[in-house]
Amino acid sequence: MEALSPKLELTQNPLKKIWVPSNNGLPCKPTLQRRGRCHSGSMFNCSSILLPVCMTNCPTLIVMVGLPARGKTYISKKLTRYLNWIGVPTKEFNVGQYRRNLLKTYTSFELFRPENEEGMKIRKQCALSALNDVRRYLSEEGGHVAVFDATNTTRERRNIILNFAGQNGYKVFFVESVCNDPEIISANIMEVKLGSPDYVNCSNEEATEDFLKRIECYRNFYETIDENADRELSYIKIIDVGKRYLVNRVLDHIQSRIVYYLMNIHITPRSIYLCRHGESTLNLSGRIGGDSGLSQRGKEFARALSKFIKEQNIKDLKAWTSQMKRTIQTAECLDVPYEQWKVLNEIDAGVCEEMTYEEIQEHFPLEFALRDQDKYRYRYPKGESYEDLVQRLEPVIMELERQENVLVICHQAVMRCLLAYFLDKSADELPYLKCPLHTVLKLTPVAYGCHVESFFLNIEAVNTHRDKPENVHINRSTEEALKTIPPHL
Amino acid sequence: MPAELMQNRTQKIWIPRKMKDGRPTLPYHSCGPQLANSPTVIVMVGLPARGKTYISKKLTRYLNWAGVPTKVFNVGEYRREAVKQYSSYEFFRPDNEVAMKVRKQCALAALTDVEVYLKEEGGQIAVFDATNTTRDRRDMILSFVKENGFKVFFIESVCDDPNVIATNIMEVKLSCPDYQGCNVSDAMEDFLKRISCYKNSYQPLEPDGYDKDLSFIKVIDVGRQFLVNRVQDHIQSKIVYYLMNIHVQPRTIYLCRHGESEYNIKGRIGGDSGLSSRGKKFAMALSKFLDEQNLKDLKVWTSQLKRTIQTAEALKMPYEQWKALNEIDAGVCEDMTYEEIKEKFPEEYELREQDKYYYRYPSGESYQDLVQRLEPVIMELERQGNVLVVCHQAVMRCLLAYFLDKSADEMPYLKCPLHTVLKLTPVAYGCKVESVFLNIEAVNTHRDRTEEGKKGPSPLMRRNSITPFASPEPLKKPRMGSFDEFSASSSVDASVSMPSEMPTSLSAQPHLARACLT
């Protein structure tokens, strides 16, 4: 007698269109517990695009190591921004900030003198306070990665951290920045130290002099991560701002990704230009998706873009487009060779492709409401979500980090995702970022962040931005649903 | 004035209509960042039995799969051609002048072939696999590279763990043609003496001194530690990332499709249907099969389509869903039968038969797109231990092509029948495949190459691809002893799921793929 065929019943989550096991049409609680957790709460599908691989069974503590002005905070912030963007909840803990909160005013480098017992006590207290917050973040607040940003230049301090991590079940990965190039150090000081709250009432010369003395306080006691003594630790040593790397014992996926990221970033000044294709014929009729060509005004924009780019006088500009007609038509006007990336294609609206919002409301009112409820995670039936887009765009971000001057001609949702990465916008803000047609955003890295300049190239275009309506309930009226739709033909 | 665009019929790529002499006026690329303008020579460095050839072959297989035409040039093979019969380690003694001359000549012959491959045969990367343990030798290579305007990247493998070395020797040296007819202990003893011939003159790469301006990665103790110096470009960065993710721990990868689905029975492609009752039986049989495999720590991956998830649900194990494992998107042809496609889109139907790898469904994907999509899956598979991937026909073909080093031409015709599990075990320089049919009947969804397809890719494609070469074999064909020669040129009927076949990966075939490495 053959065994009965199992039911293997599944139901599809209406928002993300993920299939989960069900019983009589209702999703069931997963019967199997995975070791560790997915931050999305669901056992069988991680929303982190780092993959469905729940890369951390245990949380990871990244520990920065290095003398002052070696780029530790720069790396911490950048890495944190990247990890959050790809869906790994990450937070940085800057011990200097704790010290500033405790001491209110900074007097001089004397605080950092090793003989200054009072100073040492305060600084150690700040470190422990920060570690306490790390523990809360990783063990209670659902954080996956914490970046502990401090000099951590002695073996003693690092051992304290290792013990702390061991007690709490965290993996530890050290990131040490080693650099002895005086030019780089003074550039760092200029860029980020002089503007620090510590030096708010000082002249540049005074600040620089004090800071250099501060560095000296650490130098004698600096115990660099040692190839032999520290053979069992997991770490990356970054030497001379990326000329060389020493990588030891990468333990898991997240550490591997972090190493790859750190090895691809650079600090050479450059600008990234983001814009959408020129206005398309589908844009004019308020339709989403599709593969239409440029409208008359869109073609004018393409010419205006070419002129703008020439005037910017950019050295060695690379231009990237998607594989959709409208971005390529836009790029064709430039005198710059361009490369087509399929992954830069607009979000796939699945069954809603080429519809107007009015038509979507008419045919799929439930879908339309769900999208308004959670625009980031909402996946169009047979299409994609912003969350999917971020996963798709990760290689673009990685390559943008490697490159210098780049112009990316893409699409509304895609541009929002890329912009969110550069401007550190949350998943909630991302789908509502304003990326109007015929407007170029110029992003220039500065200090710890990104300076944005917006250039509207003076060619009129329809507005394609739809704000979140007040009523997102599935039972809302058509009128309420369509309230925020921008006008179109 | 923005040029008028036309859409290439096979790949659905938009290109400017205005062309000068039949070529577009501006250079353009169909996907991803432009890889090195100049070709790259990867130079292996290290004492014998340090995994240089293992790395060479594996890396070459990865790069070719991803669309970067790459080839290995193993100097030992040139030596075997020149010196027909290997006598003993004495050949490698540094004071053996005659032998030194022969060995140098072999290196030069290999470099000549490198030049031809990179300059005339459309190669993008050449992997120069030899010990290259002296500065002299490396300086010679550097001059060669400079003369030809190539980029160079060194990969040095450093390892002093005698266990690892002994294992390597057992795994790949004893069965090498040099030791045919020797017993194990004689061969081992001779090989160890061979290694010591190199030791005295070995000058490792010095990042702080002589070699500080070179681009290289030092792989220490089989990946425990890496020293990376001056990565110049995207491809070197990807190579470093790949090398940092691979490991040599024994493990098994299981590939299978979802159980038979409702659509399979109806002959419809794509969609998101559930399992048929036979499909459900397969899921149960798969569960039993895995139990019997007695595996420690198996990870299970599925796509986000219902049929793979239902299959995994029967396993009563945790599994992870990857959108990247979804079946190829057939665009406007989704949910259709092949008859319906032929009737409704006859031109598309024919274009696909002519060039199945590059053909992209309208509003859908191509196999080439699939490879790009699956690259992170491959990378993660390399990191993992035992994994079962429950996926789909086209996806499974792509993954299998990576493990078995199949060309772009063969990939879309690999046989991946329903209800059959392929068990892949890394062995020596390649992958052992075992095919296990779980004895639950299912429809056959495989379509062989048609007469149209056998003619080769349409002329329209030439412009986008590296011109495939008629000459099938590399100049110095290696004799691999116990391994079956797996020639990538047997494209007529790529019936790959033969039980216990031992294909090795010698990426000798120039591939039809364009650089898609992102």
Side-chain angles (χ1 to χ4, degrees), chain B residues 230-501:
Chain B
R230 292 189 189 269
V231 167
Q232 295 172 324
D233 61 18
H234 175 95
I235 191 71
Q236 291 180 14
S237 165
K238 272 319 266 261
I239 288 167
V240 164
Y241 184 46
Y242 183 72
L243 292 178
M244 287 176 41
N245 282 321
I246 61 181
H247 67 76
V248 294
Q249 301 313 314
R251 48 80 170 254
T252 305
I253 293 170
Y254 296 83
L255 299 181
C256 72
R257 291 166 65 187
H258 52 82
E260 183 191 62
S261 73
E262 297 291 350
Y263 262 24
N264 286 146
I265 293 179
K266 297 185 181 134
R268 295 192 172 283
I269 66 171
D272 194 13
S273 57
L275 297 181
S276 67
S277 61
R278 294 195 299 195
K280 288 178 183 173
K281 292 204 179 89
F282 165 72
M284 302 296 282
L286 182 63
S287 182
K288 183 158 170 285
F289 169 76
L290 289 174
D291 276 337
E292 289 163 1
Q293 292 287 298
N294 224 343
L295 293 160
K296 180 171 102 75
D297 295 333
L298 176 72
K299 293 245 166 90
V300 179
W301 297 352
T302 70
S303 69
Q304 285 186 352
L305 294 172
K306 189 175 184 185
R307 50 201 187 274
T308 56
I309 298 163
Q310 273 184 304
T311 307
E313 271 291 313
L315 305 178
K316 302 261 170 273
M317 284 184 220
Y319 58 88
E320 292 165 19
Q321 301 186 16
W322 292 69
K323 187 172 193 279
L325 284 171
N326 279 9
E327 182 57 314
I328 191 171
D329 183 356
V332 302
C333 300
E334 279 281 318
D335 306 303
M336 295 173 89
T337 63
Y338 286 112
E339 293 75 43
E340 285 167 2
I341 298 173
K342 192 168 184 182
E343 198 192 309
K344 197 161 173 205
F345 304 110
E347 196 194 358
E348 294 296 324
Y349 187 83
E350 185 156 320
L351 284 170
R352 189 160 205 254
E353 310 252 281
Q354 283 175 6
D355 203 341
K356 199 172 174 187
Y357 180 79
Y358 285 103
Y359 171 81
R360 184 185 282 168
Y361 281 105
S363 307
E365 294 176 306
S366 61
Y367 272 89
Q368 186 185 35
D369 295 327
L370 258 195
V371 163
Q372 179 167 30
R373 188 170 25 102
L374 289 169
E375 203 263 351
V377 176
I378 288 295
M379 200 61 94
E380 189 55 23
L381 273 173
E382 285 296 344
R383 290 196 57 78
Q384 292 289 338
N386 294 322
V387 185
L388 163 67
V389 184
V390 182
C391 54
H392 304 267
Q393 185 167 243
V395 169
M396 186 164 159
R397 284 171 170 155
C398 288
L399 298 178
L400 194 59
Y402 166 75
F403 288 106
L404 302 187
D405 200 25
K406 297 297 183 179
S407 69
D409 197 49
E410 301 168 280
M411 184 195 293
Y413 296 101
L414 293 177
K415 283 217 168 94
C416 295
L418 287 165
H419 299 186
T420 306
V421 182
L422 291 187
K423 181 174 171 178
L424 303 164
T425 321
V427 68
Y429 293 137
C431 222
K432 180 173 99 149
V433 198
E434 285 168 70
S435 172
V436 187
F437 172 58
L438 295 193
N439 237 333
I440 313 280
E441 288 309 308
V443 295
N444 173 23
T445 57
H446 183 88
R447 299 172 76 240
D448 272 315
R449 211 187 284 263
T450 60
E451 283 315 304
E452 271 307 301
K454 288 179 191 162
K455 287 185 195 157
S458 82
L460 220 94
M461 282 321 303
R462 296 277 154 167
R463 192 159 26 92
N464 285 339
S465 52
I466 308 297
T467 315
F469 267 77
S471 58
E473 304 299 352
L475 215 54
K476 306 292 170 199
K477 189 167 161 172
R479 292 167 283 143
M480 291 305 288
S482 59
F483 296 114
D484 290 330
E485 199 73 77
F486 207 97
S487 171
S489 54
S490 58
S491 57
V492 173
D493 179 20
S495 5
V496 93
S497 345
M498 298 293 114
S500 311
E501 195 169 60

Side-chain angles (χ1 to χ4, degrees), chain A residues 347-480:
Chain A
I347 192 171
D348 183 355
V351 301
C352 299
E353 277 283 317
E354 304 205 32
M355 289 184 158
T356 61
Y357 288 119
E358 290 89 335
E359 285 167 2
I360 299 176
Q361 168 61 20
E362 192 191 323
H363 293 108
F364 307 106
L366 172 63
E367 294 293 328
F368 202 45
L370 285 174
R371 185 158 207 253
D372 283 335
Q373 287 177 16
D374 194 346
K375 197 172 174 188
Y376 183 75
R377 283 164 205 87
Y378 171 81
R379 184 184 281 170
Y380 280 105
K382 302 199 180 170
E384 295 176 301
S385 61
Y386 272 92
E387 198 172 27
D388 294 328
L389 256 196
V390 163
Q391 177 167 22
R392 169 148 73 81
L393 289 169
E394 199 267 352
V396 176
I397 289 296
M398 199 61 91
E399 190 55 23
L400 275 173
E401 285 295 345
R402 288 199 56 78
Q403 292 290 342
E404 294 184 13
N405 293 319
V406 185
L407 163 68
V408 184
I409 303 172
C410 53
H411 305 267
Q412 185 167 244
V414 169
M415 186 164 160
R416 285 170 170 155
C417 290
L418 298 178
L419 195 59
Y421 166 74
F422 289 108
L423 302 186
D424 201 19
K425 298 294 183 183
S426 67
D428 286 330
E429 299 167 282
L430 189 162
Y432 295 101
L433 293 176
K434 286 218 166 83
C435 294
L437 286 166
H438 299 186
T439 307
V440 182
L441 292 185
K442 178 177 176 178
L443 304 164
T444 315
V446 67
Y448 294 136
C450 223
H451 176 58
V452 198
E453 288 167 78
S454 173
F455 297 93
F456 171 57
L457 296 195
N458 237 331
I459 314 279
E460 289 307 308
V462 297
N463 172 25
T464 57
H465 185 92
R466 181 174 165 266
D467 276 311
K468 182 171 176 167
E470 262 180 59
N471 190 346
V472 299
H473 198 267
I474 57 178
N475 289 327
R476 64 189 176 175
S477 69
T478 299
E479 197 197 322
E480 288 171 305

Side-chain angles (χ1 to χ4, degrees), chain A residues 225-260:
Chain A
I225 294 183
D226 184 78
E227 271 190 63
N228 287 314
D230 298 310
R231 311 166 54 87
E232 297 301 318
L233 300 182
S234 296
Y235 64 83
I236 178 171
K237 232 189 232 272
I238 303 172
I239 297 145
D240 289 340
V241 203
K243 215 175 287 184
R244 189 186 316 162
Y245 303 92
L246 184 67
V247 180
N248 200 61
R249 293 196 191 272
V250 168
L251 290 179
D252 59 16
H253 181 98
I254 185 83
Q255 291 181 13
S256 164
R257 289 300 286 260
I258 288 166
V259 164
Y260 185 45

Side-chain angles (χ1 to χ4, degrees), chain A residues 188-200 202 204 207:
Chain A
N188 283 359
I189 296 177
M190 294 286 288
E191 185 94 338
V192 295
K193 300 299 178 186
L194 303 185
S196 148
D198 289 347
Y199 295 114
V200 78
C202 295
N204 283 355

Side-chain angles (χ1 to χ4, degrees), chain A residues 2-10 12 16-21 32-35 43-46 50-54 227 231 235 242-254 256-257 259-260 263-264 291 294 299 302-303 318 320 323-326 328-343 345 348 379 382-385 388 391 395 399 402-403, chain B residues 1-5 7 11-16 25-34 207-208 212 220-221 223-234 237-238 240-241 244-245 271-272 275-281 283-284 297 299 301 304-307 309-311 313-314 316-324 326 329 335 360 363-365 369 372 376 380 383-384 518:
Chain A
E2 278 184 45
L4 278 171
S5 228
K7 272 180 89 184
L8 299 179
E9 197 189 307
L10 299 178
Q12 196 176 40
K16 295 176 63 159
K17 313 300 188 288
I18 299 290
W19 289 103
V20 294
L32 301 147
Q33 296 296 315
R34 294 208 68 222
R35 263 179 311 132
M43 283 294 143
F44 294 99
N45 173 54
C46 275
L50 241 208
L51 357 244
V53 181
C54 265
E227 271 190 63
R231 311 166 54 87
Y235 64 83
K243 215 175 287 184
R244 189 186 316 162
Y245 303 92
L246 184 67
V247 180
N248 200 61
R249 293 196 191 272
V250 168
L251 290 179
D252 59 16
H253 181 98
I254 185 83
S256 164
R257 289 300 286 260
V259 164
Y260 185 45
M263 286 176 41
N264 280 320
D291 194 15
L294 297 180
K299 290 180 182 165
R303 288 192 283 271
K318 295 245 165 89
W320 297 350
Q323 284 186 353
M324 296 183 142
K325 190 175 183 182
R326 50 201 188 275
I328 298 164
Q329 272 184 305
T330 309
E332 270 292 313
C333 261
L334 306 170
D335 265 330
V336 183
Y338 61 90
E339 291 167 22
Q340 301 186 17
W341 292 67
K342 185 174 194 276
V343 293
N345 281 6
D348 183 355
R379 184 184 281 170
K382 302 199 180 170
E384 295 176 301
S385 61
D388 294 328
Q391 177 167 22
E399 190 55 23
R402 288 199 56 78
Q403 292 290 342
Chain B
M1 175 60 81
E4 250 186 77
L5 299 179
Q7 196 177 41
Q11 284 186 306
K12 311 299 189 292
I13 302 287
W14 289 103
I15 50 183
T25 49
L26 284 174
Y28 68 93
H29 302 269
S30 46
C31 45
Q34 189 175 9
D208 280 317
K212 65 179 169 48
I220 298 149
D221 290 340
R224 175 190 54 89
Q225 190 177 80
F226 301 91
L227 194 150
V228 181
N229 202 57
R230 292 189 189 269
V231 167
Q232 295 172 324
D233 61 18
H234 175 95
S237 165
K238 272 319 266 261
V240 164
Y241 184 46
M244 287 176 41
N245 282 321
D272 194 13
L275 297 181
S276 67
S277 61
R278 294 195 299 195
K280 288 178 183 173
K281 292 204 179 89
M284 302 296 282
D297 295 333
K299 293 245 166 90
W301 297 352
Q304 285 186 352
L305 294 172
K306 189 175 184 185
R307 50 201 187 274
I309 298 163
Q310 273 184 304
T311 307
E313 271 291 313
K316 302 261 170 273
M317 284 184 220
Y319 58 88
E320 292 165 19
Q321 301 186 16
W322 292 69
K323 187 172 193 279
N326 279 9
D329 183 356
D335 306 303
R360 184 185 282 168
S363 307
E365 294 176 306
D369 295 327
Q372 179 167 30
E380 189 55 23
R383 290 196 57 78
Q384 292 289 338
T518 55

